[in-house]
Amino acid sequence: QSVLTQPPSVSGAPGQRVTISCTGSSSNIGAGYDVHWYQQLPGTAPKLLIYGNSNRPSGVPDRFSGSKSGTSASLAITGLQAEDEADYYCRSYDSSLSGLVFGGGTKLTVL
Amino acid sequence: EVQLVESGGGLVQPGRSLRLSCAASGFTFDDYAMHWVRQAPGKGLEWVSGISWNSGSIGYADSVKGRFTISRDNAKNSLYLQMNSLRTEDTALYYCAKNSLAARDVGHFDYWGQGTLVTVSS
C-alpha cells in the first residue's frame, strides 16, 4: 500500500485528454511538499516529466502539465499520442516517514 | 552529458551481502544529493535511501533501515549501497538517481541510471 495513491490504470484514444491523480495526506502533499512526476517507458529507466508540482523540464512537450491542490496532485496529458503509453509515478516527501515516497504508479494505455 | 552507471548487482543467497556502486560523470558530483530507488519485477518504484552532498544527512526507507548503508566518495564521484542481511523481497532493479539540489529531502531526481539487477534467492 503506497503512501501516495494513484489509479492503477487510465486509458484514452489518440488526441484525447487524460488525467492521473495522486492522492496523499497532511504529512506529505497536504503539508506543502512538492510533487514530481516521472514517466517510465517500457523497459527503460524513469524520466523526469514534471517537477515542483507544475514545471516542465526542457524537452518535455507542453502537452504534459501538472497541478496540485490540498492533499492531491494531478498530471494531465492532452493530445494523447501512442508514444505516451507508459507508466507514470508521482513522488513527494513524507514528514511522518522522514523520507521520500512514490505513488504506486499508473499505466497509461493509448487505445 | 550526465551519466550514472550502476554496478555490483547479481545473484545472492538470502542473508548474504552485496555492495552496489554508481559511477557519476558529467556534473559536479559533490554539489548534489544522491539517491537509490528500486523496482521489484513487475512492480512500482520504491525509494530506498538518500544522502546529502556532504554525507551529513542520510535517510532510509523503513523496509531497509538497519540492513542497508548508503555512502559516497566525492573524490571518486561515486555512490554506494551496502546491502546486508538480504531478503528475497529485496530482489529488484536498483537505480541510482541524481537529485537536483544538495539537500536530500528537497528537489527532484533529474537524472537516473539504467539500473543494476539484484536477485536474492537460494
Side-chain angles (χ1 to χ4, degrees):
Chain A
Q1 195 81 349
S2 302
V3 172
L4 303 178
T5 301
Q6 298 180 233
S9 63
V10 298
S11 62
Q16 284 191 331
R17 178 181 188 271
V18 297
T19 61
I20 298 173
S21 60
C22 175
T23 303
S25 67
S26 58
S27 62
N28 42 69
I29 298 174
Y33 295 110
D34 282 344
V35 177
H36 315 291
W37 292 89
Y38 300 90
Q39 177 193 58
Q40 187 175 33
L41 297 169
T44 69
K47 167 194 157 186
L48 178 66
L49 195 63
I50 296 288
Y51 68 94
N53 306 314
S54 59
N55 301 290
R56 273 179 289 105
S58 60
V60 172
D62 59 6
R63 302 185 296 104
F64 295 90
S65 63
S67 63
K68 175 185 150 183
S69 178
T71 58
S72 294
S74 288
L75 172 70
I77 310 172
T78 59
L80 264 184
Q81 300 181 3
E83 67 207 50
D84 298 333
E85 198 160 275
D87 294 323
Y88 293 84
Y89 296 90
C90 60
R91 200 227 80 192
S92 187
Y93 174 82
D94 191 282
S95 57
S96 295
L97 298 173
S98 296
L100 305 181
V101 289
F102 280 97
T106 298
K107 181 175 182 59
L108 168 63
T109 301
V110 180
L111 302 170
Chain B
E1 178 195 4
V2 172
Q3 285 200 326
L4 299 170
V5 180
E6 303 93 337
S7 61
L11 174 63
V12 61
Q13 294 179 326
R16 303 297 291 264
S17 300
L18 208 58
R19 188 195 197 207
L20 305 184
S21 299
C22 172
S25 61
F27 64 100
T28 304
F29 185 70
D30 54 11
D31 277 352
Y32 300 96
M34 297 292 294
H35 294 266
W36 289 100
V37 176
R38 69 184 180 183
Q39 186 169 33
K43 302 296 184 182
L45 301 174
E46 179 189 16
W47 175 75
V48 173
S49 182
I51 185 168
S52 64
W53 68 282
N54 63 351
S55 305
S57 177
I58 286 174
Y60 300 96
D62 286 346
S63 58
V64 306
K65 203 171 291 183
R67 300 187 298 122
F68 289 12
T69 302
I70 191 172
S71 62
R72 63 190 295 164
D73 186 335
N74 288 345
K76 294 184 177 179
N77 289 349
S78 294
L79 175 72
Y80 306 102
L81 186 67
Q82 177 67 42
M83 304 186 295
N84 298 333
S85 303
L86 281 162
R87 306 168 179 168
T88 55
E89 55 264 37
D90 295 319
T91 293
L93 186 62
Y94 284 73
Y95 293 104
C96 164
K98 172 188 171 294
N99 200 45
S100 59
L101 298 173
R104 69 171 175 90
D105 289 336
V106 291
H108 52 274
F109 305 152
D110 51 5
Y111 292 94
W112 298 66
Q114 290 304 304
T116 186
L117 182 62
V118 173
T119 303
V120 184
S121 173
S122 54

